[in-house]
Amino acid sequence: MKALYYPAWDQLEIRDVPEPAPKPGEVVIRVAAVGICGSELHCFVTHAPRRPPPAIMGHEFCGEVLQVGEGTSGYRPGDRVVVNSVIACGRCEDCLDGRVHLCREGEVFGMKRPGGFAERCAVPVSTLLPLPDGVSPLQGALVEPLANGVHALSLTRQRFPETVVVIGAGTIGLMVLQVATAAGALRLVSVDVSDARLQVAQQLGAETVLNPRTHDVVTTVRHLTRGRGADVVVDAVGAAETRRVAVEAARRGGEIVWLGLHDDPTQVSGFDVVLGERKVLGSFAVTHHDLRTAIGLFAHGKIALDPWVRTFPLLDGARVFQELATDPPADYIKALLLP
Ligand SMILES: [Zn+2]
Ligand SMILES: [Zn+2]
């Protein structure tokens, strides 16, 4: 079968690789669509030890069951499925306590085991969720990034927050915006350094868009909120600077969600957190429940993918991946590959 193969640092190529065979507890799926994730691009560019070659990357994918291995039940050939990108061990204390997404023994598709940048992929049934007929392969491949947005907001406690600020208008930021709308946020503010991305955010429901190159984000958010600050601020960038701005833009008693792993050390005002009882929440990966919610959001037409998602044949994968890694295009944000 054909796969987008990552043989060595900085290299990607379409290659013929052996067909996957299902181990006990696994099925082989025919990949219908697979997203190129920002974390893969980041690791590719920075030679991150988290994702060393050789590998077949790809962890945001959906498809159809082709072949079932021994000891699998509940799935038959022809079933449409979406895959949870993390394979939890099921035995550690986090798994046993139900924090499966925080399993430290967990594997991610496209790291040690082959991922979805291929025509077919073997996956443990524990990672599968059924994909209803009303959800397209395109939407199916975006269930995982959408679930990241669901997860981030589900950590907050406020219903109908008046103002939600989302820093970053990339894939996750745009998903957070749309989940926030569906969840009852009254006013959305999108922050990004790209005016093209802010325009997309506006089309997807942001009432106010702010480019930090021309506007002071904290001052403007305070101005919009009678001097108080936002009820919820989500940092979907993960840089030291955006984390700091997220804390400063939140009101007293407000909630801040940090997503993204751009930088590690981060300096924020301890006084802002303590004296204002601001709650800083880390958000990582997704639960099965978040994935189910994401499928529901797609099934009920709550999430727009126009004009920011574009599809390409898997055979063009190397070019598209390199392009996104080195010189991101201005006319779309998220690329999906179709094997
Ligand atoms: Zn991802
Ligand atoms: Zn575990």
Side-chain angles (χ1 to χ4, degrees), residues 315-338:
L315 299 181
D316 290 344
R319 177 185 61 79
V320 175
F321 195 102
Q322 296 268 15
E323 211 169 83
L324 283 165
T326 51
D327 183 20
D331 55 338
Y332 68 92
I333 292 167
K334 180 74 171 180
L336 302 183
L337 302 176
L338 307 178

Side-chain angles (χ1 to χ4, degrees), residues 134-158:
V135 180
S136 71
L138 205 80
Q139 294 170 319
L142 289 159
V143 163
E144 199 259 2
L146 175 57
N148 272 278
V150 172
H151 190 71
L153 286 172
S154 68
L155 297 170
T156 65
R157 294 280 183 82
Q158 299 175 62

Side-chain angles (χ1 to χ4, degrees), residues 87-96 99-100 102-106:
I87 306 155
C89 80
R91 292 179 304 273
C92 71
E93 290 192 27
D94 284 313
C95 282
L96 294 175
R99 293 181 296 273
V100 172
L102 298 183
C103 173
R104 268 179 298 182
E105 310 297 319

